[in-house]
Amino acid sequence: MNNQDHFKFSTGVVAYPISFVLIIWLVFWFEVRFGFDFNKFGVYPQTLKGLRGVVFSPFIHGSIQHLYHNTVPLFVLSMALFYFYRPIAWKVLVFGIIVSGFLTWCIGRPSYHIGASGIIYLLVSFIFFKGVFAKHYRLIALSLLVVFLYGSLIWYALPLEEGVSWEGHLSGLITGLLFALTFRKAIAKPKKYIWEQPDYNHDDDPFLKHFDENGNFIENLNPEIEQEQPTIKYTFKENKE
């Protein structure tokens, strides 16, 4: 996979994240408008019925504050995913929802786990570790930016606050790391200079010919031919006025 498959802007870079966020808001509006409670469609660990939450839970939120806090990072991170990792973006998003949701089902407390925060942790983890593994200057810069913006989220992957699904957050972090390792071969490679190509003949390099094996500059490339050095003469005219 070459660099042309990455770092390419398209309408999907914005359209897909906006659509995802709109669906989440529409689900919440439908709940409030018609008096439904979709919390029972969340992940309920270690029950067969609770497995349906693996798919439905990211679209369900308990309050407007819960939804608002997830909207901005979800939009920003999903845009970064579709721009920098467009060829594998859908795989990461769809399979990430399934895997992280299933891990939450395995390790979670007996309660309904809802919200898109697990996807946010998935994207933070994936983008960070992918950039580290890639060793590409753009992706490393993206990893550092993600750490700067969302590095504090790591504390919510620990059981420190009651009522917060730290299991879902931790599942997202683990899934993101696993996906960064799984899709390691799909990393954009840094552009190599011509002299870094494996088939490049260094003996024919017009620049390297001016240096010896020790890196010293060679003034005369052909010692058998003595190069004639130009002579510059200075003259002085006396002003006789």
Side-chain angles (χ1 to χ4, degrees):
M1 187 172 299
N2 53 42
N3 286 346
Q4 294 180 352
D5 296 325
H6 297 75
F7 320 132
K8 186 176 181 180
F9 185 82
S10 64
T11 55
V13 172
V14 179
Y16 297 143
I18 288 180
S19 300
F20 193 27
V21 170
L22 283 177
I23 292 174
I24 294 175
W25 276 91
L26 284 173
V27 170
F28 183 78
W29 172 83
F30 190 85
E31 280 189 277
V32 175
R33 178 66 178 81
F34 297 101
F36 284 93
D37 184 8
F38 290 155
N39 287 355
K40 60 183 179 180
F41 290 96
V43 175
Y44 199 93
Q46 301 171 19
T47 64
L48 186 61
K49 192 175 182 179
L51 278 173
R52 63 186 179 182
V54 171
V55 176
F56 296 132
S57 63
F59 304 94
I60 305 170
H61 291 80
S63 65
I64 189 67
Q65 291 83 6
H66 186 201
L67 178 59
Y68 174 76
H69 289 311
N70 283 344
T71 296
V72 176
L74 180 62
F75 177 72
V76 172
L77 292 169
S78 56
M79 275 189 62
L81 178 69
F82 278 98
Y83 179 77
F84 289 96
Y85 302 104
R86 184 177 59 88
I88 58 174
W90 281 113
K91 293 180 181 179
V92 172
L93 195 58
V94 174
F95 292 112
I97 291 175
I98 297 174
V99 174
S100 61
F102 181 74
L103 285 178
T104 304
W105 183 84
C106 292
I107 66 175
R109 292 163 291 176
S111 179
Y112 288 107
H113 298 255
I114 59 174
S117 54
I119 304 177
I120 295 173
Y121 278 78
L122 161 72
L123 296 177
V124 167
S125 177
F126 174 79
I127 293 174
F128 171 74
F129 287 109
K130 199 73 159 59
V132 172
F133 296 152
K135 299 180 181 179
H136 191 293
Y137 68 97
R138 287 188 179 183
L139 302 182
I140 292 175
L142 178 64
S143 298
L144 296 177
L145 180 62
V146 167
V147 170
F148 176 76
L149 293 176
Y150 304 112
S152 60
L153 293 178
I154 188 67
W155 299 110
Y156 293 97
L158 302 173
L160 300 178
E161 185 175 345
E162 188 177 356
V164 175
S165 178
W166 63 270
E167 300 95 332
H169 300 167
L170 181 61
S171 299
L173 286 177
I174 295 174
T175 304
L177 174 58
L178 292 177
F179 277 32
L181 292 170
T182 302
F183 295 107
R184 195 169 183 177
K185 293 183 179 180
I187 292 175
K189 301 298 181 182
K191 184 178 179 179
K192 292 185 177 182
Y193 295 99
I194 187 172
W195 55 82
E196 295 179 311
Q197 302 297 334
D199 57 345
Y200 185 72
N201 188 358
H202 290 74
D203 295 333
D204 296 333
D205 193 304
F207 178 77
L208 294 179
K209 286 183 178 181
H210 291 274
F211 298 88
D212 59 17
E213 296 179 353
N214 299 323
N216 300 318
F217 181 73
I218 304 175
E219 296 184 0
N220 188 2
L221 295 178
N222 193 347
E224 297 179 357
I225 302 177
E226 184 178 355
Q227 296 181 350
E228 181 181 353
Q229 299 298 327
T231 302
I232 301 177
K233 295 181 180 181
Y234 295 91
T235 59
F236 174 76
K237 290 185 179 181
E238 183 179 358
N239 188 355
K240 296 182 180 181
E241 292 183 2

